[in-house]
Amino acid sequence: MRKQSGMSFVGFIIVAILVALAAITFFKVVPAYVEYFSVKSTLKILVRDHASEPPSAIRESYNRHANISNIEAVKAQDLVIVQTGGRTTISTSYEKVVPLVANVSLLFDFDAEAASGSTE
């Protein structure tokens, strides 16, 4: 007879706990990154469509895009809009705190920028 091999019940519980913790962390972190990529996309759209407009019009357009894309971390007044020499650069920096368990949280520091005439 061959000897049985496999995982014991205690080993299975430990692996299951680790997988559950990784899944919980993953599902709490993903929305922060989805919002970040929405901000980047919105900035690129603003630079493409509204680069020649004054900053107030760009901020107003950002508010419309933010409502549609459900962006809550960055407000229109948080945008840094620089218009020099026919080139428009829109950037923002923000932090996102994602609570995990009790008093344990993750802090993400995001920077997004888009410029007219860039090679991106």
Side-chain angles (χ1 to χ4, degrees), residues 2 4 6 10-11 16 22 35 50 52 62-63 84-85 91 106 113 117:
R2 284 186 1 191
Q4 280 188 326
V10 174
E35 187 173 39
H50 304 285
S52 61
Y62 175 81
N63 279 332
T84 56
S91 62
L106 297 174
E113 180 177 323

Side-chain angles (χ1 to χ4, degrees), residues 35-52 58 61-62 65-66 69 71 74 79-81 87-92 111-120:
E35 187 173 39
Y36 167 68
F37 288 116
S38 292
V39 168
K40 279 184 73 169
S41 172
T42 300
L43 294 184
K44 285 182 183 180
I45 290 169
L46 289 175
V47 163
R48 185 187 69 214
D49 297 343
H50 304 285
S52 61
I58 293 173
S61 181
Y62 175 81
H65 282 278
S69 300
I71 299 171
V74 179
L79 298 178
V80 177
I81 302 171
R87 183 181 168 123
T88 301
T89 303
I90 305 172
S91 62
T92 187
D111 295 317
E113 180 177 323
S116 62
S118 66
T119 57
E120 294 181 311

Side-chain angles (χ1 to χ4, degrees), residues 7 9-24:
M7 192 179 299
F9 182 70
V10 174
F12 173 76
I13 294 297
I14 291 171
V15 169
I17 289 171
L18 291 175
V19 168
L21 289 175
I24 289 170

